[in-house]
Amino acid sequence: MSITLSTRLRDVRGSAIRDLLALTARPEVISLAGGLPGNELLPRERIAAALAAAVTEPAAVQYGETAGLRSLREVLAQHESRRLGRAVDPACVVVTSGSQQALDLVARALLDPGDPVVVEDPVYVGALQVFQAAGAQLNPVPVDADGMAVDVLADRLARGLRPRLVHTVSNFHNPRGATLSAPRRALLAELAERYGFLVVEDDPYGMLAFDGSPPAPVAAHGDRVVRLGSASKVLAPALRVGWLAGPAPLCAAVERLKQSTDLCTSSLTQLVTAELLADDAWFAAHLDQLRTALRERATALTGALATVFGDAATGSVPKGGMFCWLEFSDGTRPADLLPRALEHGVGFVPGTAFAVGQDLSAAARLCFASNPPGELHTAVERLGAAWRAGGT
């Protein structure tokens, strides 16, 4: 049957990461590909108890407010207030079905086809798909060890670039692993005020700083910022609870669009999320355990990479989050290495999947969060075997 699809789909790149999940789901493959928290790190018993309590409330199995349950919005506003160092009104918080929906709703609220948007290069693939679907004109800005090169952005703005919005994964960047430095955060907020664009501060990993203290958010430096957050990395992806906090007019527009998208996010999982995030003592202890486990996994991965690849490749040194960025200097192309790696029982994502304008053919993203240290050592040994099999 012939079906005519919308023109908006023509420029939307498929996600190589989602495609890889089918291959890496095979039991014999250790996956370093998807950005999945390890199953053993998810607080399943605490979630089960919260579910059992929530389901006794009639509201848990009913439709809810489009903007989110009041109890959860109040908890999220408190969390954002502590992060920003100023009060956040619950009315300026919208609960979404994961932070990916928040990003999509923001783009739909702000962008018309052809509008210029600044993205990081390498880019978070989910953001790339959202902006491509919106028909935006992409303007990539490179990312280095200190996050987005805001000085490069400033130069382009001075030469006439006028974006509607600038997207940044400010903490423990996906895929680069870098964190936007404090001076760059302040400059980005200043540029937003000067040139009138909105910063979309995508922050699903901010609570996963190994030392517990990421820099103050971009939103702490200015008002032209909308922050996106998620329970997926700190509680459980299946809850599908995300949120945005930002200017009131944008929240009102997003709420109107959400009405036409899904009516509301699950009341049941919102109640569970509200209970867990409001339990300050439990949540602080859980985060401490989670950070410790992720730090051990990051150390295991980077140590194994140094042992196996030596001077042939350089890995970033994670200070939080879930990802390590690996760059080969011996001519290896991870896109060519990947089929051999899968044959050897390990998967990863080539850097080309995240490229907008840069040549990232020598790079790869490795997730250390999904597997315990022993599995990570085995994964790197398999990756090394596949690398050696290619004649490098």
Side-chain angles (χ1 to χ4, degrees):
M1 182 172 59
S2 176
I3 298 177
T4 301
L5 300 176
S6 75
T7 56
R8 289 177 299 175
L9 282 174
R10 290 184 304 197
D11 295 326
V12 179
R13 182 197 299 180
S15 171
I17 302 166
R18 307 309 300 181
D19 295 340
L20 267 173
L21 287 180
L23 296 173
T24 57
R26 303 199 311 261
E28 70 273 16
V29 175
I30 300 175
S31 177
L32 306 178
L36 282 64
N39 289 332
E40 64 280 1
L41 302 181
L42 305 179
R44 286 178 290 175
E45 292 183 2
R46 185 69 174 85
I47 290 172
L51 275 169
V55 79
T56 64
E57 300 185 31
V61 291
Q62 190 53 272
Y63 290 112
E65 297 176 59
T66 299
L69 299 183
R70 180 73 185 185
S71 59
L72 178 56
R73 294 166 72 193
E74 289 175 347
V75 172
L76 294 173
Q78 292 171 4
H79 275 267
E80 287 294 311
S81 297
R82 288 195 287 266
R83 293 286 301 280
L84 269 60
R86 58 177 171 79
V88 172
D89 188 341
C92 293
V93 176
V94 178
V95 179
T96 57
S97 299
S99 61
Q100 183 68 20
Q101 187 191 49
L103 181 57
D104 179 65
L105 292 172
V106 168
R108 289 169 56 195
L110 293 176
L111 299 177
D112 291 316
D115 281 346
V117 167
V118 170
V119 296
E120 295 170 315
D121 194 8
V123 67
Y124 164 53
V125 172
L128 183 65
Q129 291 181 309
V130 162
F131 298 137
Q132 287 174 333
Q137 176 196 101
L138 301 178
N139 295 268
V141 172
V143 176
D144 60 25
D146 290 318
M148 176 190 284
V150 180
D151 56 333
V152 173
L153 173 61
D155 180 64
R156 294 181 186 174
L157 292 168
R159 290 189 279 115
L161 175 62
R162 293 296 179 268
R164 292 296 303 275
L165 61 85
V166 173
H167 177 265
T168 179
V169 182
S170 54
N171 291 311
F172 317 118
H173 185 267
N174 179 4
R176 183 66 172 75
T179 291
L180 189 64
S181 68
R184 290 186 180 185
R185 292 172 188 238
L187 177 56
L188 181 56
E190 177 190 328
L191 293 171
E193 294 289 345
R194 188 188 315 171
Y195 292 100
F197 59 80
L198 188 77
V199 177
V200 179
E201 186 176 17
D202 209 342
D203 191 20
Y205 311 106
M207 288 185 274
L208 299 181
F210 295 161
D211 64 1
S213 58
V218 177
H221 300 281
D223 296 327
R224 298 190 66 84
V225 182
V226 55
R227 281 180 47 76
L228 311 185
S230 174
S232 294
K233 307 303 188 291
V234 296
L235 293 177
L239 293 173
R240 304 313 304 137
V241 171
W243 59 87
L244 64 86
L250 177 62
C251 289
V254 162
E255 181 178 358
R256 187 157 36 131
L257 286 169
K258 185 171 167 60
Q259 290 172 357
S260 68
T261 301
D262 65 357
L263 300 180
C264 62
T265 299
S266 165
S267 298
L268 181 60
T269 59
Q270 286 189 70
L271 284 169
V272 169
T273 304
E275 179 182 328
L276 270 58
L277 292 182
D279 189 342
D280 289 336
W282 174 85
F283 188 55
H286 168 65
L287 281 181
D288 283 344
Q289 293 174 352
L290 187 56
R291 292 166 181 150
T292 297
L294 290 175
R295 182 172 57 245
E296 291 173 350
R297 295 176 182 210
T299 300
L301 178 66
T302 54
L305 290 171
T307 298
V308 170
F309 294 104
D311 295 336
T314 301
S316 63
V317 180
K319 296 182 179 179
M322 302 171 66
F323 303 112
C324 174
W325 187 246
L326 186 67
E327 294 181 294
F328 285 91
S329 56
D330 67 342
T332 296
R333 295 172 58 89
D336 298 332
L337 175 61
L338 179 59
R340 294 197 306 276
L342 289 170
E343 291 174 359
H344 282 76
V346 62
F348 61 88
V349 186
T352 49
F354 309 98
V356 185
Q358 290 195 86
D359 178 7
L360 300 176
S361 59
R365 189 195 77 174
L366 311 179
C367 176
F368 54 79
S370 306
N371 299 287
E375 287 284 287
L376 291 170
H377 281 286
T378 301
V380 175
E381 289 170 1
R382 293 179 181 181
L383 185 60
W387 170 66
R388 288 187 294 272
T392 54

